[in-house]
């Protein structure tokens, strides 16, 4: 796949809009929780169900993308995103305008996020598998890094635009309505412009269901990558979940109310996103770093960022520490994503994409709740917990042979699709259903 092709640009936009919408929501969620006078831990915990559904649904969407086709699953995921953001905005407006009680409104917001948990993983899984279908092993690290950078760009756009959509009539719910509309636009572009074709279904000779990818999580080729990814994404989830509350409390010392803290939260998220983009768009291509190097640098920098958050309190200390953490994540995510993809065969790309998306769900299942609870107990506590997890991830890169050496070099394996290969949205024989 040509990384400058319209198809890749569309896939980039799919990841971009999902990341931007979620980070916009994340940036306003602490202020909404404080306006509703809810416990910070309750706000974080209520959305754990969304992460649980993401984790459970991810393998299903991965297998369905192998059978139904990448494009159709991308469209299903985008539709779920639009429905979720619209529902969340309506529920938030109802609570903020006192049309409904805060408890009922927040429950409806959690339901809307649960819808995203069910459908949200579909689009990024299918997008990643679409790219894997169309790239050679030599191209894949760069392609995955560029696709991952869409998330980084989304984390710039989301928090940066969110304050502009906090308007008098719709208030803190405005960003959700705006990104739901953007999602509709991207959905139409995918439907009209992303290359696709009819799905070819050929029954397997054995007459059995296709079992590709089952049990892949415990396969020694990828298990170490998954453990590393779980530690990294768990630490990142804690940093993101604590950030808004941390900034609100730091600004409260200076007399700035929670409702007025939104631009400051946006600036902090913007700094983190800019650091991620600097890594993924600048340093990784410039240095031509491979998965093993990306993972070592990623864990190390994220560890340093959390230590800085402990040692340098105050608003600017929070911003700088979060930016350094984001640099580390910028290295680490494409490292373990590309490393795991290169460690398996072409027929397993949908399954490995599903596992990577499951990590995203698992990371936002327990860690945010634990992190925010630790923060309410003691301000440095979540950063100490993160430092321990990231130290374990860095140690894993050194002691595990597969992570230390990197994915196997397979010079004789040519994964360039032949002229007879079906389009990426219809990856070929899938067995009986």
């Amino acid at each position: 796949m040509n990384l400058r092709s319209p198809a890749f640009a569309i896939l980039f936009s799919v990841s971009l809009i999902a990341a931007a919408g979620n980070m916009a929501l994340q940036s306003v969620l602490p202020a909404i929780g404080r306006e509703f006078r809810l416990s910070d831990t309750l706000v974080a915990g209520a959305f754990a169900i969304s992460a649980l559904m993401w984790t459970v649904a991810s393998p299903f969407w991965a297998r369905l993308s192998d059978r139904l086709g990448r494009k159709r699953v991308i469209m299903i995921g985008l539709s779920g995103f639009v429905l979720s953001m619209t529902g969340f905005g309506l529920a938030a407006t109802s609570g903020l305008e006192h049309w409904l009680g805060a408890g009922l409104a927040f429950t409806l917001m959690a339901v809307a996020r649960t819808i995203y948990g069910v459908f949200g993983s579909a689009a990024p899984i299918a997008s990643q598998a679409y790219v894997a279908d169309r790239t050679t092993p030599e191209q894949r690290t760069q392609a995955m890094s560029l696709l991952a950078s869409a998330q980084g760009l989304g984390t710039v756009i989301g928090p940066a635009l969110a304050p502009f959509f906090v308007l008098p009539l719709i208030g803190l719910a405005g960003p959700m309505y705006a990104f739901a509309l953007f999602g509709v636009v991207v959905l139409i572009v995918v439907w009209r412009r992303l290359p696709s074709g009819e799905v070819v279904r050929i029954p397997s000779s054995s007459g059995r269901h296709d079992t590709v990818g089952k049990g892949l999580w415990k396969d020694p080729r990828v298990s170490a990558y998954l453990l590393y990814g779980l530690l990294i994404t768990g630490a990142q989830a804690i940093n993101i979940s604590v950030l808004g509350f941390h900034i609100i409390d730091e600004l409260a010392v200076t007399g700035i109310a929670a409702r007025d803290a939104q631009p400051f939260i946006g600036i902090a998220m913007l700094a983190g996103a800019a650091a991620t983009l600097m890594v993924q768009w600048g340093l990784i291509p410039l240095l031509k770093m491979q998965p093993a190097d990306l993972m070592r640098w990623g864990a190390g920098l994220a560890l340093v960022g959390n230590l800085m958050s402990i040692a340098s309190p105050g608003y600017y200390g929070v911003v700088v520490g979060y930016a350094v953490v984001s640099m580390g994540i910028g290295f680490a995510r494409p490292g373990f994503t590309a490393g795991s993809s290169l460690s398996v065969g072409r027929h397993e790309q949908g399954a490995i994409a599903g596992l990577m998306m499951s990590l995203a769900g698992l990371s936002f299942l327990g860690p945010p709740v634990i992190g925010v609870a630790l923060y309410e107990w003691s301000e440095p506590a979540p950063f100490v917990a993160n430092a321990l997890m990231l130290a374990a991830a860095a140690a894993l890169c050194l002691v595990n042979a597969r992570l230390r050496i990197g994915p196997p070099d397979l010079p004789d394996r040519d994964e360039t699709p032949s002229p007879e290969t079906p389009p990426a949205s219809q990856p070929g024989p899938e067995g009986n259903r």
Side-chain angles (χ1 to χ4, degrees):
M1 169 181 280
N2 185 343
L3 300 187
R4 296 184 179 181
S5 66
F8 189 85
I10 292 171
L11 297 175
F12 188 92
S13 300
V14 170
S15 296
L16 173 67
I17 195 65
N22 276 295
M23 290 305 292
L25 186 152
Q26 190 71 40
S27 72
V28 300
L29 182 59
I32 292 175
R34 294 288 175 90
E35 288 290 323
F36 285 1
R37 301 185 183 279
L38 299 174
S39 162
D40 295 349
T41 305
L42 177 62
V43 172
F47 289 87
I49 184 64
S50 174
L52 175 62
M53 298 310 298
W54 178 292
T55 305
V56 172
S58 291
F60 167 78
W61 294 120
R63 291 192 295 270
L64 189 64
S65 77
D66 287 336
R67 298 198 302 267
L68 188 61
R70 313 301 193 203
K71 177 176 176 176
R72 292 182 182 179
V73 173
I74 290 172
M75 292 178 64
I76 291 171
L78 283 171
S79 299
F81 171 82
V82 171
L83 179 62
S84 172
M85 294 296 284
T86 303
F88 190 100
L90 291 172
T93 298
S94 299
L96 293 169
E97 297 296 328
H98 305 293
W99 300 336
L100 297 175
L104 178 56
F106 191 74
T107 299
L108 293 176
M109 288 161 60
V111 171
R113 285 301 292 173
T114 302
I115 293 173
Y116 181 73
V118 173
F119 294 97
S121 61
I125 282 175
S127 297
Q128 181 178 322
Y130 191 112
V131 172
D133 290 339
R134 296 266 183 133
T135 55
T136 66
E138 294 77 14
Q139 296 173 315
R140 195 162 305 148
T141 297
Q142 182 184 3
M144 292 296 186
S145 296
L146 188 55
L147 189 63
S149 72
Q151 298 180 5
L153 183 59
T155 57
V156 171
I157 292 176
L161 292 181
F164 294 100
F165 297 121
V166 181
L167 302 173
L169 294 178
I170 50 181
L172 291 170
M176 276 64 80
Y177 298 130
F179 282 97
L181 179 60
F182 297 153
V184 171
V185 173
V186 175
L187 176 60
I188 293 172
V189 171
V190 169
W191 172 47
R192 297 293 300 272
R193 299 296 182 184
L194 187 66
S196 181
E198 295 299 323
V199 177
V200 178
R201 294 185 173 86
I202 301 177
S204 64
S205 57
S206 65
R208 298 181 178 179
H209 294 279
D210 186 11
T211 59
V212 171
K214 291 186 177 179
L216 188 60
W217 63 272
K218 56 186 177 182
D219 190 311
R221 294 175 298 168
V222 299
S223 57
Y225 287 103
L226 293 174
L227 177 57
Y228 173 91
L230 188 60
L231 292 169
I232 291 291
T233 55
Q236 181 191 26
I238 290 177
N239 282 121
I240 292 173
S241 299
V242 169
L243 180 65
F245 299 113
H246 197 182
I247 291 175
I248 288 173
D249 292 335
E250 292 292 342
L251 293 176
V253 177
T254 65
I256 298 176
R259 178 181 286 269
D260 299 323
Q262 193 58 46
F264 297 92
I265 296 173
I267 290 171
M269 289 188 166
L270 181 62
T276 300
L277 289 179
M278 180 185 69
V279 167
Q280 293 182 337
W281 285 7
L283 295 179
I284 293 177
L286 177 65
L287 301 175
K288 301 186 184 301
M289 300 173 73
Q290 295 304 307
D293 299 317
L294 295 173
M295 293 169 68
R296 285 192 288 267
W297 277 97
L301 280 171
L303 172 59
V304 170
N306 277 278
L307 295 176
M308 291 174 65
S309 298
I310 298 171
S312 303
Y315 174 70
Y316 293 105
V318 173
V319 173
V320 173
Y322 183 71
V324 175
V325 169
S326 299
M327 285 184 65
I329 302 302
F331 280 114
R333 272 190 172 274
F336 72 79
T337 301
S340 59
S341 175
L342 289 168
S343 297
V344 301
R346 283 185 61 196
H347 63 292
E348 298 169 299
Q349 292 302 322
I352 199 65
L355 285 175
M356 291 298 106
M357 289 302 110
S358 292
L359 283 183
L362 286 172
S363 66
F364 277 89
L365 183 55
V369 180
I370 296 171
V372 174
L374 287 173
Y375 175 75
E376 288 194 295
W377 173 61
S378 174
E379 183 177 308
F383 307 110
V384 173
N386 271 0
L388 294 175
M389 285 197 295
L390 293 165
L396 187 63
C397 291
L398 299 177
V399 302
N400 183 274
R402 290 184 181 273
L403 300 192
R404 186 172 65 250
I405 299 172
D409 183 17
L410 302 174
D412 297 328
R413 183 175 72 178
D414 182 9
E415 294 198 355
T416 305
S418 67
E420 293 78 22
T421 302
S425 60
Q426 45 162 341
E430 68 225 24
N432 292 333
R433 292 186 295 164

